[in-house]
């Protein structure tokens, strides 16, 4: 949610900032801007629209040696040129970019208005610029420190002052900020993507920390100016993974990457000799794992759907009561923490505010909380008691795809581990390991249906509403399929348990509202076939994602897409592939902005 980048060094800053913003654009993309320090003062260029729109008004010849940039996802104030960041104070000497929400900005603004400050935008961010101006007495770091002591809310900010050329000051509370350490140059950004092509040496800032950077050094301190020494970490993501390669969109690339990303998530984690799983980062002894009496998975969006699948699996296979909860709801529910309950927070970005705050609340209450994250060094990954990285590589498209199957991979391995400690036999464990090891090639086969799915998507793209129906472990997959379609095609889509349609949703069925059924060859197949017939009887169109060779389903449905046969619990990995492709091709047919759908952002760092 909002991307921030700052640079100081000797390279042309305007280029580095624009390139950094391009790589951060998935965080927010309604307006963007840069402020570049030049000999004659600040040069601020900003406008509503995407980075390409901003680029079109920035001079081709690169300029400046330091600066800050921002790509916005609006919270306070509409999407206008004036509300785009960077924002300045009255003197025009202070410039700031901000990610987050300042809760007490109205009180501060009133005070500053009374003192004669003149505001140019409706944003909460501009208030910080004026507050710093008010407090400034020659030391910009000190002024920023005093200012953040006055503000309530969440922020990741980077500030420049024209009298301190070559210096940037950053501060964070609740919104990520990462320092990139280069050779005689420094970067500061909300995400490593912005700097990965220049440096892999990073320092993760924590809440309550303030950093001052110059091309040849940095100083981190707390809110009382106590110096903090922090480790420099090396990021292991490759530069190429941030590019689209031969694909038209990041989303398509990421869908096709799943055969590799799922395999990567299993590397070194499945042990056929002992028929079990191994997850080094859990930081739990076998005794502690054995004493787990409940597993609760907390997440948002797609990660929540992965949690629902995993909860089903944990209960069925490991025979431990399990459930998944929406982080946004759990946080405000005052949950009861059972002594031997284990909590997982699942988050691709590791920065989702709802999930982060739920995790902190759980920890405050004494819960044992583990993380399942993709972004290494993200706030959730750092603050949990232990956890697992899913290693799916950078996910850039706003609609999450490969993270879902990688989250499942990690949670399935965890399930195997705890199931083997309980009721699962060696033979059953070996079977489970083999089934998992077969997944990458099965996903590869499911991907071969892309062209067929494209035709189907073209045919149904006229629909205004869609139902996605599944049962058992595939019910959350139906929810995820519906979420994908609405996110990127803007077609209204709802996911339900196929059994539930008779309790209400069937009222929506008519010739114009297609239903997409997930029909694996499992225990519930017959029941789902009955539900399909109920829809057909009401002249509803039926698409079935079914198993190769199922002629009965093929006869009932109007259209089918087949997937390879797998054992019951492995179906979510296979069923999700056609649903992701269906959403992608529908959005493509409708001419939508697939990677950056309207109103959405990838990393939602506000509540
Ligand atoms: C946003 C994204 C979704 C994502 C959700 C949770 O809403 O648009 O794609 O599933 O956040 O994100 P997380 O990073 O916590 O998995």
């Amino acid at each position: 949610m909002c991307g921030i980048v700052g640079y100081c060094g000797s390279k042309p800053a305007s280029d580095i900032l624009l390139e950094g913003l391009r790589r951060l654009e998935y965080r927010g993309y309604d307006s963007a801007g840069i402020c570049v320090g030049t000999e004659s003062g600040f040069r601020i260029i900003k406008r509503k629209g995407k980075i390409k729109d901003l680029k079109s008004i920035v001079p081709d010849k690169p300029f400046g040696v330091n600066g800050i940039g921002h790509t916005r996802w609006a919270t306070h104030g509409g999407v206008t040129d004036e509300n785009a960041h960077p924002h300045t104070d009255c003197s025009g000497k202070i410039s700031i970019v901000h990610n987050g929400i300042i809760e007490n900005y109205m009180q501060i603004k009133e005070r500053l208005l009374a003192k004669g400050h003149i505001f140019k935008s409706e944003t909460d961010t501009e208030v910080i610029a004026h507050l710093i101006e008010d407090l400034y007495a020659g030391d910009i770091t000190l002024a920023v420190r005093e200012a953040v002591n006055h503000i309530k809310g969440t922020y990741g900010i980077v500030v420049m002052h024209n009298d301190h050329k070559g210096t940037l000051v950053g501060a964070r509370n609740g919104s990520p900020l990462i320092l990139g350490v280069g050779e005689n140059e420094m970067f500061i950004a909300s995400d490593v993507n912005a700097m990965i092509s220049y440096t892999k040496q990073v320092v993760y800032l924590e809440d309550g920390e303030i950093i001052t950077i110059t091309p040849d050094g940095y100083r981190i301190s707390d809110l009382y100016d106590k110096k903090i020494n922090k480790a420099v970490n090396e990021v292991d993501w490759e530069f190429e993974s941030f590019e689209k390669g031969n694909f038209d969109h990041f989303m398509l690339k990421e869908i096709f990457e799943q055969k590799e990303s799922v395999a990567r998530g299993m590397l070194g984690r499945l042990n056929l000799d002992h028929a079990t799983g191994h997850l080094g980062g859990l930081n739990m002894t076998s005794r502690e794992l054995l004493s787990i009496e409940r597993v609760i998975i907390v997440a948002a969006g797609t990660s929540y759907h992965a949690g629902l699948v995993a909860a089903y699996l944990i209960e069925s296979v490991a025979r431990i009561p399990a459930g998944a909860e929406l982080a946004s709801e759990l946080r405000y529910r005052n949950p009861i923490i059972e002594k031997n309950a284990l909590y997982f927070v699942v988050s691709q970005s590791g920065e989702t505010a709802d999930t982060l705050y739920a995790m902190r609340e759980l920890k405050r209450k004494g819960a044992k909380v583990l993380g399942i994250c993709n972004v290494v060094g993200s706030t959730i990954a750092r603050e949990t008691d232990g956890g697992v990285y899913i290693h799916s590589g950078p996910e850039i498209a706003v609609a999450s795809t490969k993270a879902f199957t990688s989250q499942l991979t990690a949670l399935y391995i965890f399930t195997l581990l705890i199931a083997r400690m309980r009721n699962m036999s060696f033979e059953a464990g070996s079977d489970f390991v083999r089934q998992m090891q077969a997944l990458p090639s099965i996903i590869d086969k499911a991907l071969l249906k892309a062209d067929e799915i494209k035709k189907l998507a073209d045919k149904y793209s006229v629909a205004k509403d869609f139902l996605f129906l599944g049962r058992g472990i595939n019910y959350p997959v139906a929810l995820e399929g519906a979420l994908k379609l609405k996110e990127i095609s803007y077609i209204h889509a709802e996911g339900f348990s196929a059994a539930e349609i008779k309790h209400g949703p069937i009222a929506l069925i008519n010739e114009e509202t297609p239903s997409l059924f997930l029909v694996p060859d499992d225990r519930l197949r017959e029941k789902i076939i009955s539900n399909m017939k109920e829809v057909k009887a009401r002249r509803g169109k039926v698409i079935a994602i079914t198993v190769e060779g199922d002629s009965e389903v093929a006869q009932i449905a109007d259209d089918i897409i087949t997937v390879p046969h797998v054992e019951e619990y492995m179906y979510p990995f296979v069923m999700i592939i056609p649903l992701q492709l269906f959403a992608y091709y529908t959005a493509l047919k409708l001419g939508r902005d697939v990677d950056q759908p309207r109103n959405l952002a990838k990393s939602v760092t506000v509540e």
Side-chain angles (χ1 to χ4, degrees):
M1 192 127 295
C2 299
I4 292 178
V5 58
Y7 172 75
C8 50
S10 54
K11 295 193 185 112
S14 63
D15 253 11
I16 291 179
L17 297 176
L18 284 173
E19 176 57 12
L21 290 180
R22 188 180 70 79
R23 289 165 172 279
L24 293 177
E25 198 172 16
Y26 67 90
R27 296 182 74 94
Y29 33 83
D30 55 45
S31 43
I34 55 172
C35 170
V36 178
T38 69
E39 278 312 308
S40 53
F42 287 164
R43 182 136 181 218
I44 295 177
I45 307 172
K46 58 182 190 173
R47 67 177 293 182
K48 71 176 192 197
K50 298 204 168 194
I51 305 300
K52 64 173 168 33
D53 303 311
L54 173 69
K55 222 171 168 172
S56 71
I57 55 166
V58 174
D60 285 342
K61 192 163 178 275
F63 60 99
V65 286
N66 72 338
I68 53 181
H70 187 270
T71 175
R72 181 170 186 242
W73 189 89
T75 54
H76 290 82
V79 180
T80 61
D81 292 351
E82 294 72 36
N83 289 338
H85 298 215
H87 289 285
T88 50
D89 64 334
C90 295
S91 70
K93 283 188 165 187
I94 295 169
S95 180
I96 180 172
V97 288
H98 165 223
N99 173 17
I101 293 178
I102 305 303
E103 286 156 13
N104 60 340
Y105 84 104
M106 275 314 286
Q107 290 101 296
I108 299 174
K109 189 169 180 174
E110 273 159 27
R111 236 175 38 228
L112 293 169
L113 279 168
K115 284 179 137 186
H117 286 261
I118 295 165
F119 289 82
K120 301 174 282 293
S121 77
E122 300 156 329
T123 64
D124 52 345
T125 305
E126 191 188 343
V127 173
I128 315 176
H130 290 272
L131 183 60
I132 295 171
E133 178 182 30
D134 201 56
L135 297 165
Y136 178 74
D139 181 338
I140 183 63
T141 306
L142 181 62
V144 171
R145 177 174 298 112
E146 285 180 1
V148 297
N149 276 317
H150 281 79
I151 56 184
K152 286 203 190 92
T154 54
Y155 53 83
I157 54 171
V158 187
V159 180
M160 297 169 73
H161 193 298
N162 199 34
D163 291 348
H164 302 267
K165 291 201 165 55
T167 300
L168 301 180
V169 182
R172 102 157 242 179
N173 184 47
S175 301
L177 216 50
I178 301 163
L179 167 74
V181 183
E183 290 265 321
N184 298 322
E185 59 182 359
M186 296 284 161
F187 303 81
I188 187 159
S190 45
D191 197 315
V192 288
N193 293 15
M195 53 178 105
I196 193 84
S197 46
Y198 305 101
T199 180
K200 289 188 173 179
Q201 308 294 314
V202 300
V203 178
Y204 298 104
L205 297 186
E206 307 289 338
D207 286 352
E209 291 181 348
I210 295 181
I211 184 165
T212 307
I213 61 175
T214 56
D216 44 14
Y218 61 91
R219 181 179 188 272
I220 302 173
S221 57
D222 68 10
L223 294 177
Y224 307 98
D225 198 23
K226 188 163 167 280
K227 187 169 185 269
I228 300 171
N229 293 316
K230 300 186 72 121
V232 178
N233 299 275
E234 171 134 353
V235 184
D236 65 357
W237 283 355
E238 287 307 318
F239 176 59
E240 293 73 40
S241 24
F242 292 92
E243 297 296 335
K244 280 201 283 256
N246 294 328
F247 290 91
D248 289 340
H249 294 98
F250 278 110
M251 184 178 177
L252 191 62
K253 175 184 174 235
E254 287 158 9
I255 292 173
F256 272 87
E257 268 173 11
Q258 289 177 100
K259 48 185 191 283
E260 289 107 34
S261 51
V262 164
R264 210 164 36 240
M266 292 180 200
L267 265 186
R269 290 173 170 174
L270 287 173
N271 184 330
L272 199 53
D273 291 343
H274 300 114
T276 189
H278 169 75
L279 294 168
L282 295 181
N283 296 338
M284 287 177 80
T285 62
S286 306
R287 277 251 148 233
E288 286 167 335
L289 287 168
L290 194 59
S291 64
I292 299 168
E293 287 171 5
R294 185 179 295 279
V295 179
I296 298 151
I297 303 165
V298 181
T302 293
S303 302
Y304 169 65
H305 295 153
L308 286 170
V309 173
Y312 190 102
L313 185 83
I314 292 167
E315 189 177 275
S316 313
V317 175
R319 306 301 297 146
I320 299 173
E325 302 236 19
L326 286 169
S328 50
E329 290 299 322
L330 176 101
R331 180 186 175 203
Y332 290 103
R333 222 189 51 222
N334 195 11
I336 297 165
I337 309 298
E338 291 167 81
K339 197 158 166 274
N340 289 325
L342 174 67
Y343 286 81
F344 274 107
V345 286
V346 183
S347 174
Q348 186 284 129
S349 62
E351 302 292 350
T352 300
D354 289 327
T355 313
L356 177 63
Y357 298 150
M359 179 207 72
R360 287 181 180 158
E361 178 66 6
L362 288 169
K363 288 192 71 177
R364 260 193 295 275
K365 284 176 168 283
K368 172 92 183 167
V369 189
L370 301 181
I372 305 272
C373 294
N374 189 32
V375 178
V376 176
S378 54
T379 310
I380 291 177
R382 282 180 289 125
E383 289 190 19
T384 38
D385 301 321
V388 185
Y389 280 121
I390 60 172
H391 297 307
S392 65
E395 194 184 62
I396 310 290
V398 166
S400 184
T401 53
K402 63 175 179 173
F404 178 76
T405 42
S406 294
Q407 288 162 345
L408 290 186
T409 305
L411 288 162
Y412 271 53
I413 296 172
F414 172 76
T415 308
L416 169 67
L417 173 68
I418 53 170
R420 281 283 290 127
M421 298 178 90
R422 294 172 168 77
N423 62 323
M424 189 188 254
S425 67
F426 181 87
E427 288 70 28
S430 305
D431 267 2
F432 197 92
V433 170
R434 285 202 189 87
Q435 287 165 28
M436 286 205 70
Q437 285 172 334
L439 286 173
S441 69
I442 290 170
I443 289 174
D444 205 14
K445 279 198 194 124
L447 287 164
L448 293 175
K449 293 284 157 73
D451 290 343
E452 259 179 66
I453 295 167
K454 183 173 188 308
K455 283 189 197 121
L456 203 65
D458 288 356
K459 175 173 166 188
Y460 285 94
S461 60
V462 288
K464 296 275 173 289
D465 305 278
F466 238 103
L467 300 189
F468 283 71
L469 305 162
R471 293 206 65 179
I473 200 161
N474 294 300
Y475 160 49
V477 181
L479 299 181
E480 176 60 9
L483 178 66
K484 284 292 90 69
L485 189 68
K486 67 185 139 199
E487 277 180 317
I488 58 168
S489 76
Y490 318 147
I491 293 176
H492 172 235
E494 296 297 338
F496 295 103
S497 157
E500 276 296 301
I501 52 169
K502 57 187 177 289
H503 298 299
I506 202 161
L508 300 171
I509 298 294
N510 60 24
E511 283 154 331
E512 273 109 53
T513 305
S515 302
L516 191 151
F517 280 87
L518 302 179
V519 203
D521 48 0
D522 65 7
R523 291 172 294 133
L524 293 167
R525 176 177 167 278
E526 301 303 324
K527 308 270 178 214
I528 301 175
I529 289 178
S530 302
N531 301 141
M532 283 168 62
K533 288 180 178 163
E534 287 156 16
V535 169
K536 287 298 295 175
R538 285 154 185 89
R539 292 191 293 154
K541 290 267 180 293
V542 167
I543 306 170
I545 313 289
T546 185
V547 181
E548 283 161 5
D550 193 331
S551 51
E552 191 187 354
V553 171
Q555 264 170 20
I556 303 165
D558 295 280
D559 289 286
I560 60 159
I561 293 293
T562 60
V563 292
H565 163 82
V566 288
E567 293 304 319
E568 176 176 352
Y569 297 127
M570 298 297 150
Y571 269 111
F573 286 92
V574 208
M575 288 285 175
I576 192 61
I577 304 290
L579 302 192
Q580 293 169 343
L581 287 167
F582 185 74
Y584 172 78
Y585 287 119
T586 307
L588 197 67
K589 172 78 181 164
L590 295 172
R592 309 295 192 220
D593 189 342
V594 174
D595 283 340
Q596 292 170 352
R598 72 181 179 206
N599 305 342
L600 302 181
K602 182 137 195 83
S603 180
V604 184
T605 54
V606 295
E607 274 196 89

